[in-house]
Amino acid sequence: AAAKSVREVIKYANGTVKARGSRLNGELHGAWSFFRQDGSLMRSGRFDRGRQIGIWKTFTRDGALVKSTNFGRTQPEQQRLGF
């Protein structure tokens, strides 16, 4: 059977969204957004089966772009993020 992508929303204890994206076979996969406790977008980018890929953007609380990091197509094991 083909692997199925499952949407996921992770929340802080106060109910505010901490992260939003999808998992494929339990690993972060596709577009993800990470938020601060005040609800502002902190970072966004894409995963390929748990590895950060492509351009990741980090933002200030007021939405200004702080930096863009290009992770390329593949990354070593230490780049894997999990929850």
Side-chain angles (χ1 to χ4, degrees):
K4 191 171 128 183
S5 179
V6 178
R7 296 283 301 156
E8 181 168 352
V9 175
I10 301 165
K11 294 185 178 181
Y12 289 104
N14 68 3
T16 303
V17 174
K18 180 177 186 177
R20 180 182 292 134
S22 297
R23 287 184 186 263
L24 183 65
N25 294 331
E27 295 185 295
L28 305 183
H29 190 73
W32 273 81
S33 296
F34 297 87
F35 302 88
R36 296 180 183 85
Q37 286 193 34
D38 66 7
S40 62
L41 177 64
M42 180 173 55
R43 200 148 195 249
S44 65
R46 297 186 67 79
F47 286 95
D48 181 4
R49 290 176 164 78
R51 290 184 178 84
Q52 290 174 281
I53 61 168
I55 305 291
W56 276 74
K57 295 180 179 181
T58 304
F59 303 93
T60 63
R61 287 187 191 281
D62 61 7
L65 181 65
V66 175
K67 85 179 165 180
S68 288
T69 305
N70 190 345
F71 285 90
R73 295 292 306 150
T74 59
Q75 286 297 307
E77 283 298 309
Q78 67 265 25
Q79 291 297 331
R80 293 172 74 87
L81 293 181
F83 283 97

